[in-house]
Amino acid sequence: MPCWHYYSAASPDHESALAIDASRIVFGPGVLDELGDHARSLGCRRVAVFTDRRLKALEHVARARKSLQNANIDAALFDAVHVEPTDASFLEAARFAKAARVDGFVSVGGGSVIDTAKAASLYSTYPADFLDYVNKPVGAAKPIPGALPPHVACPTTCGTGSETTGIAVCDVLALKAKTGIASARLRPSLALVDPTTTHTLPAEVIAASGFDVLCHALESYTARPFDRRSKPSSPTARPMSQGANPWSDLGSAEALRLTGKYLVRAVTDGRDLEAREKLAWAATLAGVAFGNAGVHLPHGMAYAVAGLVRDFRMPGYPQDEPMVPHGVSVVLNAPSVFRFTAEACPERHIEGAAMLGVDVRGATPTDAGEIVAAALIAAMRATRVPNGLGGVGYGAADVEALTKGTIVQQRLLSNAPRDVGEPELAALFSGAMSYW
Ligand SMILES: [Fe+2]
């Protein structure tokens, strides 16, 4: 049972309200073929369709374009989305959208594609210096001046949850910093989630995206509670990442139950379509949860893990450049992190493990961190995820750079249930080098 006494509404200086910005979602086998009708009902007549070159060759993009065509909607295709987008690739996509004179946006792909469509919509609608809208401290975090055109997001992986969030993540090349833009206005108008798009994904992609889902849920569930934040300066200044709250708990709890039951099955047996489709539903629920609560340390540390990669390449992914897939860069930190955060809210960690399917009878608060870590490590081993940061090429000599690359992620670090500074981060990275 979720633990409601996590919320104490402690003092008059603290937040006592939570906001629910629910996404519009249509979920079910075959709904990608409904795209045209949905886009038309949103008022679109000519849309920019974003995807990447690999996805362009798959049937999903063809289905999306055919559906748009059937609804008499013009489509301008942008297939040059950069996997792990950058400021340059965001702006290139925005220039395309501006030149194409579109009145709506469609994204067909994973998180990189959906995030790129969000940024293209923003910068083509309200042009500004790139860093104006970017999160502090890298950018100025200026509010988006008004509404954006309709955006229908059609995810084709079961992970990022970007279709339900107002977050777009990118590398700022000149600063070698991974950061993002966060605003409720970036949230897609409609998430069109067709779980059959997961059927043909390689096992490694299911593993990476599945662990991303699991971490979205577990981080949202263990985030600093919303009522321990200071009151906002005005009602409209309430952040999207509010911290754990009774609404996000609902999605997190069910996503944990589903990933606990189906993640290993979906990876190890490509014919287990039920497991893949359940994982797609878990991804949607976890996306709604973390879009409302916010994630914390495993994601905050993942930016540096992905950004400082030297020569690791993951099977099942494009091999042309070194890359640690997002979900892998997150979960490699997770056992080390939850061993550390359990002290702040052991009951939440034990509940999280129970939702993942662990028998927690007799567990005491001092066991909490190890119980969660053991569950994660068992799932990582069963799905052949690399063994900690050492498995993707990092060693003790990299801890300082990884720490420096993470300390700037204040939006995520401050959402953790325990305070962290550089010494704590260094210990967390050291603890994540190897697990078995
Ligand atoms: Fe993620």
Side-chain angles (χ1 to χ4, degrees):
M1 282 291 290
C3 161
W4 299 104
H5 61 260
Y6 200 43
Y7 308 111
S8 54
S11 87
D13 300 333
H14 283 104
E15 179 64 285
S16 56
L18 63 112
I20 300 175
D21 284 322
S23 298
R24 253 196 93 209
I25 299 166
V26 176
F27 181 100
V31 298
L32 184 56
D33 301 315
E34 299 179 0
L35 170 63
D37 285 331
H38 290 296
R40 195 155 188 90
S41 76
L42 287 164
C44 299
R45 295 294 176 270
R46 177 171 164 76
V47 296
V49 178
F50 289 82
T51 192
D52 66 36
R53 292 210 169 87
R54 190 180 59 85
L55 282 161
K56 185 190 165 191
L58 302 178
E59 62 165 333
H60 315 318
V61 174
R63 283 173 62 195
R65 294 179 80 181
K66 185 158 190 296
S67 180
L68 290 167
Q69 195 179 17
N70 289 345
N72 288 322
I73 296 175
D74 285 341
L77 182 70
F78 182 87
D79 65 3
V81 166
H82 196 267
V83 177
E84 304 295 324
T86 65
D87 49 347
S89 75
F90 272 1
L91 290 174
E92 183 194 352
R95 281 194 294 274
F96 170 86
K98 186 90 182 162
R101 304 174 76 83
V102 296
D103 59 14
F105 290 77
V106 170
S107 47
V108 183
S112 300
V113 171
I114 299 170
D115 285 5
T116 298
K118 292 174 184 174
S121 174
L122 170 59
Y123 287 97
S124 63
T125 308
Y126 302 109
D129 285 343
F130 186 77
L131 292 179
D132 279 2
Y133 299 124
V134 169
N135 297 331
K136 288 179 179 171
V138 175
K142 284 190 184 167
I144 296 175
L148 294 172
H151 173 191
V152 183
C154 310
T156 60
T157 62
C158 44
T160 69
S162 177
E163 67 277 9
T164 58
T165 75
I167 300 166
V169 176
C170 70
D171 287 309
V172 178
L173 294 172
L175 304 174
K176 288 191 185 313
K178 193 130 190 156
T179 180
I181 307 165
S183 165
R185 293 194 190 279
L186 284 182
R187 198 187 304 269
S189 328
L190 173 65
L192 203 54
V193 187
D194 185 339
T196 66
T197 60
T198 65
H199 290 180
T200 52
L201 291 173
E204 295 85 356
V205 175
I206 295 280
S209 52
F211 277 115
D212 191 23
V213 174
L214 192 161
C215 290
H216 290 157
L218 198 50
E219 289 173 55
S220 296
Y221 198 68
T222 55
R224 194 177 293 239
F226 77 100
D227 58 6
R228 250 158 271 177
R229 275 196 351 268
S230 299
K231 267 193 194 304
S233 54
S234 78
T236 54
R238 196 164 278 135
M240 273 195 313
S241 295
Q242 303 170 93
N245 62 77
W247 165 252
S248 63
D249 285 351
L250 297 173
S252 298
E254 181 64 358
L256 286 169
R257 194 186 69 75
L258 291 169
T259 49
K261 188 168 179 185
Y262 294 109
L263 171 56
V264 173
R265 277 175 51 181
V267 175
T268 55
D269 182 358
R271 294 161 305 175
D272 191 341
L273 302 184
E274 180 199 6
R276 290 181 171 218
E277 295 190 11
K278 295 286 190 197
L279 214 49
W281 179 232
T284 303
L285 292 174
V288 171
F290 96 83
N292 187 265
V295 282
H296 60 85
L297 290 168
H299 270 77
M301 294 163 68
Y303 287 170
V305 172
L308 297 172
V309 63
R310 280 189 289 265
D311 50 19
F312 179 78
R313 288 169 172 80
M314 181 99 169
Y317 281 82
Q319 299 291 301
D320 45 343
E321 49 188 322
M323 184 189 64
V324 185
H326 169 68
V328 172
S329 69
V330 172
V331 76
L332 297 184
N333 308 314
S336 179
V337 165
F338 290 112
R339 282 173 172 147
F340 167 77
T341 53
E343 182 183 306
C345 46
E347 72 290 348
R348 284 249 143 183
H349 287 67
I350 293 172
E351 286 168 6
M355 290 164 189
L356 286 170
V358 177
D359 181 353
V360 298
R361 283 175 295 182
T364 67
T366 50
D367 303 329
E370 202 46 51
I371 288 173
V372 173
L376 292 172
I377 290 167
M380 290 161 72
R381 296 189 76 165
T383 52
R384 299 178 182 274
V385 163
N387 180 6
L389 298 176
V392 296
Y394 291 108
D398 299 308
V399 167
E400 187 178 348
L402 289 164
T403 299
K404 297 272 184 232
T406 303
I407 198 71
V408 295
Q409 304 296 342
Q410 283 302 317
R411 184 179 67 86
L412 296 170
L413 303 186
S414 64
N415 209 31
R418 285 182 72 179
D419 292 334
V420 288
E422 292 196 18
E424 289 79 13
L425 285 174
L428 292 174
F429 278 121
S430 297
M433 285 298 163
S434 163
Y435 292 117
W436 60 84

